[in-house]
Amino acid sequence: MRPVTDVERSLIESANLGSRQQITDEDLQFDRCHIWHPYTSIVSPTPVAAVVAAQGVYLRLRDGSELVDGMSSWWAAIHGYNHPVLNAAVEDQLRSMSHVMFGGLTHKPGIALCQRLVAMTPPPLQTVFLADSGSVAVEVAIKMALQYWQAQGQPQRQRLMSLRGGYHGDTMGAMALCDPEQGMHSLFRAVLPSHVFAPVPDCRFDSDWEESCIQPFEALVRQHGDELAAVVLEPIVQGAGGMRFYSPHYLRRVASLCREWGILLIADEIATGFGRTGKMFACEHAGVVPDIMTLGKALTGGYMTLAATLCTQAVSRGLSEQYPLMHGPTFMGNPLACSVACASIDLLVAGGWQGQVKRLEEGLRRGLMPCAGLAAVADVRVLGAIGVVELKQAVDMHQIQPRLVAEGVWVRPFGKLIYLMPAYIMSDEDLSRLCAGVRRVVQELSGA
Ligand SMILES: *Cc1c(COP(=O)(O)O)cnc(C)c1O
């Protein structure tokens, strides 16, 4: 590298915002008036906590307090924050190149990541599209399915089928697959395609299988089978649409109906992938191999935005017969993101994640099940490293968020759901602190 000039040196010093500068009250005032946070109103913003550092499973706030993080930054930071191996991967890659376009160029981090993804997913999934966020990975999956049927001379197959209670992202195509009532359909109805929705699967993960559970889905397939390009679903765990865990039998039946009717199966593993449910991918609970799979969230261990859409050779070759795959984001295959993703996957595989997730599952059961009898609570459920306390009423975020922070835990409820998805490295002590904080707040809501 060439020597640094004086002007550059002063810019370098002022660019180091994290360690050198304090978040002032004026900064927070600016934040309230000028910055969108997820799903917020500029007129009545929900409170935000100012975080100055993240280490392991702790978030340090501006006032010096430390919170035990129960969210892993929305399923992503599975190894905890500021991890030496992930840091080294980014720093190393930074020294050779932070980004180059993927159009017409390729690079080792991109190749190495796709090699890992092809090796760790079911054998039929052989081709990888590196997208820049989960929603985009879902858009790419939709395009793959639609292009595939056009190339196969079945252009009437242009509708999709999904499950109520699902969540697949916020961009237009992905949004059209989210639950049509809780989702944002009503606001954007005029421009959203109308897809086919089966009811929420009402068979719990470990309950006895009842044939009636699949019948509404089956009836819809019989009605619409010839116009369906693909069924899109979150395997086993419906995440942001309701945190429900459904029976592997249901998924198996969906897969066999898809096969029978020649419909592609798209498994959105963006939330469930990389061990969260106790299997590396949630499809494995049912022994099902989808035609297309989307990955995101934990892909980079929570370090950077990156997602992937994998498909079988039948789909990739089939769709390429007519047109190239019509997608190509500017930051596709970002080398920094790809190298940290490689490191995160290596860490996962080396770290005995099955044991960690099993331990967290037991700890979440111990810590959350006592909520089950409380007046405010409708249901408590745990699967893998996911714990959910479902309340009878929706929470008031203005009230509950500061209470949870006061308990020393970072948990972000939505609607009626208080849910935990800790980093796999969380110790038993921190997990019981986290659960105790949630229990105290739920007890308060119950008037206990
Ligand atoms: C979060 C999520 C998405 C969207 O991913 P973004 O990176 O937020 O765009 C899609 N599908 C599922 C199942 C998700 O959990």
Side-chain angles (χ1 to χ4, degrees), residues 256-372:
S256 73
L257 282 164
C258 284
R259 202 158 309 119
E260 185 186 330
W261 286 80
I263 303 163
L264 297 176
L265 177 60
I266 302 178
D268 181 352
E269 294 255 14
I270 289 170
T272 50
F274 303 105
R276 180 59 69 178
T277 69
K279 302 280 185 192
M280 184 60 91
F281 301 104
C283 281
E284 292 169 24
H285 286 285
V288 157
V289 178
D291 301 287
I292 301 175
M293 182 191 268
T294 54
L295 298 172
K297 292 205 159 97
L299 176 58
T300 64
Y303 265 53
M304 252 174 271
T305 180
L306 184 70
T309 310
L310 285 92
C311 71
T312 61
Q313 224 147 41
V315 171
S316 59
R317 287 178 190 274
L319 79 85
S320 306
E321 279 166 23
Q322 208 175 16
Y323 295 108
L325 177 61
M326 297 310 283
H327 210 91
T330 307
F331 286 97
M332 182 167 178
N334 174 257
L336 283 174
C338 289
S339 27
V340 73
C342 286
S344 176
I345 290 169
D346 293 349
L347 205 50
L348 187 66
V349 173
W353 61 271
Q354 285 107 327
Q356 292 174 320
V357 171
K358 190 100 213 99
R359 182 178 56 79
L360 292 179
E361 181 167 21
E362 285 157 13
L364 287 166
R365 284 230 164 82
R366 255 196 321 275
L368 296 181
M369 280 307 167
C371 294

Side-chain angles (χ1 to χ4, degrees), residues 133-135 138 167-169 234 268 270-271 297:
S133 75
S135 299
V138 171
Y167 177 78
H168 297 282
E234 295 156 281
D268 181 352
I270 289 170
K297 292 205 159 97

Side-chain angles (χ1 to χ4, degrees), residues 56-391:
V57 298
Y58 307 110
L59 300 177
R60 185 160 5 106
L61 301 188
R62 171 173 92 127
D63 65 8
S65 60
E66 276 196 331
L67 307 181
V68 179
D69 174 33
M71 301 303 293
S72 301
S73 288
W74 278 334
W75 314 81
I78 52 176
H79 308 295
Y81 303 104
N82 210 350
H83 194 288
V85 173
L86 302 183
N87 287 7
V90 179
E91 283 163 10
D92 228 43
Q93 182 56 42
L94 194 56
R95 279 185 218 106
S96 57
M97 62 183 164
S98 57
H99 183 69
V100 292
M101 63 194 281
F102 216 46
L105 297 174
T106 195
H107 47 68
K108 185 70 178 181
I111 296 167
L113 174 58
C114 294
Q115 283 170 334
R116 282 166 175 74
L117 293 176
V118 166
M120 75 193 297
T121 52
L125 297 169
Q126 285 288 318
T127 39
V128 188
F129 187 99
L130 295 171
D132 33 16
S133 75
S135 299
V136 172
V138 171
E139 300 286 337
V140 170
I142 296 170
K143 282 185 172 177
M144 282 178 176
L146 299 184
Q147 275 196 233
Y148 173 79
W149 288 116
Q150 288 182 39
Q152 297 303 302
Q154 294 202 48
Q156 80 286 0
R157 285 196 187 264
Q158 293 291 289
R159 272 183 105 186
L160 304 170
M161 181 166 166
S162 187
L163 307 182
R164 288 182 187 267
Y167 177 78
H168 297 282
D170 290 351
T171 53
M172 300 305 272
M175 184 168 66
L177 296 167
C178 297
D179 186 282
E181 264 133 54
Q182 300 159 41
M184 294 161 281
H185 288 235
S186 56
L187 286 171
F188 305 103
R189 182 150 287 142
V191 293
L192 286 188
S194 97
H195 295 313
V196 178
F197 286 93
V200 171
D202 64 358
C203 38
R204 291 173 73 111
F205 180 78
D206 42 16
S207 65
D208 288 338
W209 174 245
E210 290 186 28
E211 200 56 25
S212 59
C213 185
I214 194 69
Q215 276 162 359
F217 184 97
E218 188 167 356
L220 286 165
V221 169
R222 287 189 193 291
Q223 195 182 339
H224 298 283
D226 297 332
E227 52 171 341
L228 292 177
V231 166
V232 188
L233 50 68
E234 295 156 281
I236 306 299
V237 175
Q238 292 192 300
M243 302 299 294
R244 286 180 209 86
F245 313 145
Y246 66 84
S247 167
H249 289 282
Y250 184 92
L251 184 55
R252 264 195 292 277
R253 293 296 294 276
V254 167
S256 73
L257 282 164
C258 284
R259 202 158 309 119
E260 185 186 330
W261 286 80
I263 303 163
L264 297 176
L265 177 60
I266 302 178
D268 181 352
E269 294 255 14
I270 289 170
T272 50
F274 303 105
R276 180 59 69 178
T277 69
K279 302 280 185 192
M280 184 60 91
F281 301 104
C283 281
E284 292 169 24
H285 286 285
V288 157
V289 178
D291 301 287
I292 301 175
M293 182 191 268
T294 54
L295 298 172
K297 292 205 159 97
L299 176 58
T300 64
Y303 265 53
M304 252 174 271
T305 180
L306 184 70
T309 310
L310 285 92
C311 71
T312 61
Q313 224 147 41
V315 171
S316 59
R317 287 178 190 274
L319 79 85
S320 306
E321 279 166 23
Q322 208 175 16
Y323 295 108
L325 177 61
M326 297 310 283
H327 210 91
T330 307
F331 286 97
M332 182 167 178
N334 174 257
L336 283 174
C338 289
S339 27
V340 73
C342 286
S344 176
I345 290 169
D346 293 349
L347 205 50
L348 187 66
V349 173
W353 61 271
Q354 285 107 327
Q356 292 174 320
V357 171
K358 190 100 213 99
R359 182 178 56 79
L360 292 179
E361 181 167 21
E362 285 157 13
L364 287 166
R365 284 230 164 82
R366 255 196 321 275
L368 296 181
M369 280 307 167
C371 294
L374 296 170
V377 175
D379 187 42
V380 181
R381 47 190 180 265
V382 173
L383 178 66
I386 314 168
V388 183
V389 178
E390 182 170 337
L391 304 173

